[in-house]
Amino acid sequence: MGKSRTKRFKRPQFSPTGDCQAELAAAENGTELEEDDGPAAELLEKLQHPSAEVRECACAGLARLVQQRPVLPDLARRDAVRRLGPLLLDPSLAVRETAAGALRNLSACGGFEVCDDMVTKDVMTPLVALLRECSAGLDSNEVPAREEKEQHRHSVENIANEAVNVLWNICECSNRAVSIFNKEGCLEMVLKYLSRFPTNVDLAISAAYCLQTVTEDNPELLKSLSASALPVLESAMRAPVGSMAYTLLKTLVAGTVWNLKDIIPSKSQAEIISAILKILSEVLEMDAGAVVIQMKEAETQRLRTAAETEEVLESANGAGLTEDDEMEETPPKRRVRRKTFISDLLPPTNEELREATALLTAQQTALEIIVNVCCSEDPSDDEWEEELSSSDESEAFMESSLGEGGGQLLSPLCLSHETHAALTNFHIPRKVFEKTAFPSSAAVDVCSRNPTWKPLVRKMNTVQWRALVCLQSLVSLLEVEHLGGAPALQALAQHLSTLLFSQPDFAKHVDFLEAISSALRALLQTMAAKNISQCMTPDQLMTLCRAGVQSGSVGVRVNVVSILGITGSVLAKEDGALETLKTIGCFLLEVATKDPSLVVVGEALDALFDVFADGSEAERASVQIRLLSALKEFQPVFKMKIRKEGKGKYSPDQLCVLNNVKTNLRRFVAYQETVEKRLTA
């Protein structure tokens, strides 16, 4: 019940490679991390070295080391956060940047516990101070020479980018960090970084990610929002799209503005909502597969041209050497040690790969925002509890969901007129439907052949997965005519079943199966409610369910059992479905009596109630499969399981639903007794 949200996109982790080989090699090859002379101890010790270059290399080594999950407890024991924190304010700008990079990686790799521990270790104090200094440094005129000033500004922006990512990571995982964000007035600083989008889109994107996180469910921040904030966001939303990075930026800012919609004057609501969904629509309109192929071809051409140019230059240089030149002794050159900045430690920038990645990330983010748009106006948890307590218990059970995690359907929703109109006017449902298709096989093939592009295959699959979750929301929300009418829904049902059955091993892909089964469940519910004939054959249906109940995901098992109940209840009203109903009944009985999760057992019993509640074919089928005797035998077992396992393994809401199932089972057994008496008389 209530909100169902997808996870936020996690940024690529900071991963220094290249220089400082001794420290990085130690970080990678260390095997006895608990010993005092291990890489963690050595690198942490070097953080206090008088030389800024040594401190910088130590930070870079730690940034690499923290990506190895087994080392995190050792770093925590050695108080790595308290040692790295002060370096955020180191006199050396390079040390500040690498220290922020190490903390960024630590917060990204460590998850909720590490981020909360970082707040406990007071990392927010130096972090906020650094962000303030960077904010002031962007306006500083203390560096007189123009070239030096530009280099200084570039360094400050790089540091700010790392620091904002640390802030984002921590605020995403820690409510205490968000409270500090509010109290310290960090919003104005992050908005200032966002405003740099015309000259530094990477910094603006990091700021936009942070803003999207901290503005979600943060009424305290909304109260303190100044009048100058909205114009900055509006300006970013209207930025010209010069690259896919700007497409991603506008998408993130649209998500932030959606979070702020409650403080926008009512007279501007329709305009703002329209602007947000227009951006999302434009993002989803792009053919990501074609862009990936185009960018890969551009990279290939660029590398070929560069190689040809280098070959020509080498030939020209070789031809220019005379015999005297070759015989002349060249004086030894004095080696100059170049200042190493964090950009030197990062892999070379591949602009084409960045463009393709930015578009896929923008599409994934757009789909996540649409899901949140659909979920934002549902009743609160308290309202749901009131609805449950005031309604008939069996009716409450029929309307509620037993699912855990991603298996549960999104709640029934009611969108505002403005949101509803914008969703349909910008053809959001059609564009979401299109994204549920498998990624372009040509794009997948291109990426699979190149190691640096191969991660995009997973990103393309993630876009499809998000689209399936989004589809579930839209189907549950919009009227049939706004989804394209009955023919469109039938075609969509056929499309979803094709997606499943085109992959013989689909049961192994839990995330995919959970998303598609949830979408199919919502679609079939809508079609059944509107008396739209369904397209899955009995064989397809049973293949799906047999594979689904083997899944280790409770959500998947709940969905496929529910799908069987929905389809069976429709078939029960038709003639000639006796054998199919018997197959469905036997299958649901087996799930109800053998599944280890009471959540799935309850859903299977609920499905049996739906399928065999009415209809002459259903009555005959129930008698022939001896449904009554099976349920009578199982009834005391079910009661005992609820009593023994309930309180320790299931939430109060789930127990409430299971108790309703128990009550409905008693009523259904009584109903089946009358059916059997009548048919066997």
Side-chain angles (χ1 to χ4, degrees):
M1 295 174 288
K3 254 186 203 179
S4 176
R5 287 191 181 156
T6 55
K7 295 178 181 177
R8 297 285 180 193
F9 169 72
K10 298 289 186 183
R11 82 297 305 149
Q13 296 165 356
F14 175 90
S15 177
T17 57
D19 286 337
C20 304
Q21 289 300 319
E23 283 75 29
L24 297 183
E28 290 177 346
N29 299 326
T31 55
E32 299 179 2
L33 299 175
E34 296 297 328
E35 295 184 4
D36 290 341
D37 59 349
E42 182 181 354
L43 291 169
L44 289 171
E45 187 67 30
K46 288 183 178 181
L47 295 179
Q48 310 302 320
H49 198 280
S51 167
E53 291 183 353
V54 173
R55 296 198 301 275
E56 180 187 356
C57 285
C59 289
L62 286 168
R64 181 77 172 192
L65 185 64
V66 297
Q67 294 182 71
Q68 303 173 32
R69 187 166 293 275
V71 84
L72 295 179
D74 186 53
L75 287 171
R77 182 172 62 84
R78 298 180 188 278
D79 224 5
V81 173
R82 290 195 192 276
R83 297 194 190 189
L84 279 167
L87 296 184
L88 293 174
L89 302 173
D90 193 275
S92 165
L93 294 182
V95 173
R96 291 185 178 197
E97 189 176 348
T98 46
L103 289 169
R104 173 183 178 178
N105 260 14
L106 181 62
S107 57
C109 299
F112 288 91
E113 290 184 6
V114 169
C115 286
D116 203 52
D117 183 62
M118 290 173 73
V119 177
T120 301
K121 298 290 176 58
D122 198 28
V123 76
M124 291 293 286
T125 297
L127 180 60
V128 171
L130 174 62
L131 288 165
R132 283 206 177 97
E133 286 196 18
C134 289
S135 179
L138 293 178
D139 300 325
S140 175
N141 292 314
E142 294 178 3
V143 184
R146 182 175 178 180
E147 185 177 339
E148 291 180 9
K149 184 176 181 179
E150 183 64 23
Q151 185 178 7
H152 176 78
R153 181 192 62 78
H154 181 70
S155 298
V156 170
E157 288 186 346
N158 285 346
I159 295 168
N161 189 32
E162 296 297 333
V164 169
N165 273 278
V166 178
L167 183 65
W168 169 33
N169 292 347
I170 297 176
C171 287
E172 197 167 39
C173 297
S174 169
N175 289 331
R176 289 189 297 156
V178 174
S179 297
I180 296 170
F181 182 100
N182 297 341
K183 182 180 177 182
E184 296 294 334
C186 294
L187 180 62
E188 293 301 322
M189 293 184 287
V190 179
L191 283 168
K192 185 173 183 179
Y193 298 135
L194 176 66
S195 69
R196 310 292 292 191
F197 69 85
T199 56
N200 192 333
V201 69
D202 291 335
L203 175 58
I205 286 173
S206 297
Y209 270 123
C210 187
L211 287 170
Q212 190 185 23
T213 293
V214 297
T215 54
E216 186 176 19
D217 300 327
N218 189 353
E220 182 184 345
L221 182 67
L222 300 192
K223 291 176 186 176
S224 63
L225 198 68
S226 66
S228 61
L230 291 178
V232 174
L233 295 168
E234 184 180 356
S235 176
M237 284 178 66
R238 293 180 175 177
V241 179
S243 66
M244 293 303 173
Y246 282 96
T247 298
L248 173 58
L249 174 66
K250 293 177 68 168
T251 306
L252 292 167
V253 175
T256 299
V257 175
W258 175 262
N259 292 340
L260 301 176
K261 68 184 185 305
D262 290 340
I263 65 169
I264 296 172
S266 56
K267 62 182 181 180
S268 304
Q269 286 273 342
E271 181 183 358
I272 292 295
I273 291 171
S274 179
I276 291 170
L277 290 175
K278 182 175 185 290
I279 289 173
L280 305 184
S281 174
E282 290 172 349
V283 171
L284 295 177
E285 186 71 35
M286 298 184 194
D287 185 342
V291 170
V292 167
I293 294 171
Q294 178 187 347
M295 290 296 105
K296 186 66 184 74
E297 289 174 349
E299 180 200 53
T300 302
Q301 183 59 45
R302 175 176 58 80
L303 294 175
R304 183 184 297 118
T305 302
E308 291 172 354
T309 303
E310 185 177 353
E311 185 177 337
V312 169
L313 290 174
E314 286 178 355
S315 298
N317 290 337
L321 285 176
T322 66
E323 187 176 340
D324 291 339
D325 292 330
E326 292 173 355
M327 294 297 291
E328 182 180 341
E329 183 178 350
T330 303
K333 293 183 178 179
R334 178 175 175 268
R335 186 183 177 197
V336 179
R337 179 171 175 81
R338 182 174 61 87
K339 182 63 180 174
T340 303
F341 287 94
I342 202 66
S343 57
D344 300 315
L345 302 176
L346 293 170
T349 300
N350 182 331
E351 192 58 39
E352 296 85 6
L353 181 59
R354 283 166 56 90
E355 285 282 282
T357 302
L359 175 58
L360 290 170
T361 304
Q363 292 193 339
Q364 176 184 331
T365 304
L367 292 164
E368 291 172 355
I369 293 170
I370 293 170
V371 170
N372 285 342
V373 166
C374 293
C375 293
S376 66
E377 300 183 48
D378 62 334
S380 68
D381 291 341
D382 291 340
E383 289 170 336
W384 273 108
E385 293 302 324
E386 290 171 9
E387 288 180 20
L388 278 175
S389 61
S390 62
S391 62
D392 177 77
E393 64 178 10
S394 63
E395 186 176 320
F397 169 71
M398 300 300 178
E399 294 298 325
S400 63
S401 168
L402 280 166
E404 291 177 348
Q408 70 182 56
L409 285 179
L410 302 180
S411 357
L413 308 170
C414 181
L415 286 188
S416 66
H417 172 73
E418 293 84 1
T419 306
H420 193 286
L423 282 169
T424 53
N425 290 343
F426 291 114
H427 309 290
I428 296 291
R430 174 182 61 80
K431 293 171 184 178
V432 171
F433 296 169
E434 291 171 355
K435 296 302 175 189
T436 63
F438 281 124
S440 159
S441 58
V444 170
D445 184 55
V446 163
C447 294
S448 298
R449 293 199 303 263
N450 189 295
T452 59
W453 286 72
K454 195 169 184 179
L456 291 194
V457 176
R458 181 171 178 81
K459 291 193 73 66
M460 287 187 278
N461 287 329
T462 300
V463 169
Q464 182 192 22
W465 172 32
R466 291 291 196 272
L468 288 165
V469 176
C470 195
L471 170 64
Q472 175 196 341
S473 303
L474 292 172
V475 167
S476 302
L477 172 70
L478 298 177
E479 295 296 328
V480 171
E481 55 268 26
H482 294 135
L483 294 168
L489 294 189
Q490 290 174 322
L492 184 58
Q494 191 63 48
H495 165 65
L496 293 178
S497 60
T498 300
L499 286 180
L500 281 172
F501 298 113
S502 61
Q503 287 197 125
D505 61 342
F506 67 84
K508 298 176 184 177
H509 306 283
V510 175
D511 288 343
F512 175 75
L513 184 56
E514 191 158 343
I516 199 169
S517 60
S518 294
L520 189 58
R521 174 184 176 182
L523 179 60
L524 293 179
Q525 278 185 339
T526 298
M527 293 174 70
K530 300 297 182 180
N531 294 318
I532 299 172
S533 59
Q534 300 177 10
C535 302
M536 290 183 71
T537 66
D539 287 343
Q540 283 182 322
L541 181 68
M542 295 312 301
T543 299
L544 165 65
C545 294
R546 289 191 180 101
V549 295
Q550 301 301 317
S551 171
S553 165
V554 170
V556 171
R557 302 204 302 277
V558 164
N559 282 335
V560 296
V561 166
S562 177
I563 287 170
L564 199 55
I566 294 165
T567 305
S569 64
V570 172
L571 290 173
K573 299 178 178 63
E574 300 176 359
D575 294 330
L578 178 64
E579 293 304 316
T580 302
L581 289 173
K582 288 165 62 177
T583 301
I584 290 174
C586 291
F587 182 87
L588 290 174
L589 268 175
E590 184 176 6
V591 173
T593 54
K594 293 184 179 179
D595 198 280
S597 169
L598 283 178
V599 171
V600 181
V601 170
E603 190 71 38
L605 289 171
D606 183 30
L608 282 168
F609 304 157
D610 288 342
V611 174
F612 296 100
D614 193 20
S616 59
E617 294 276 80
E619 290 179 349
R620 289 170 55 204
S622 67
V623 171
Q624 291 182 25
I625 65 172
R626 300 179 61 82
L627 179 61
L628 177 61
S629 60
L631 291 179
K632 276 186 172 181
E633 183 179 346
F634 180 65
Q635 198 171 8
V637 176
F638 184 55
K639 289 181 181 179
M640 180 189 67
K641 283 188 174 182
I642 293 177
R643 187 171 61 252
K644 285 189 174 182
E645 302 175 18
K647 291 183 180 179
K649 294 177 63 175
Y650 302 99
S651 69
D653 286 345
Q654 289 172 329
L655 283 176
C656 177
V657 172
L658 288 169
N659 282 323
N660 283 333
V661 176
K662 183 174 66 175
T663 301
N664 289 337
L665 177 58
R666 186 182 69 247
R667 295 170 179 171
F668 186 74
V669 166
Y671 163 70
Q672 282 294 311
E673 286 175 340
T674 62
V675 169
E676 191 163 303
K677 284 179 183 178
R678 176 161 41 84
L679 292 182
T680 56

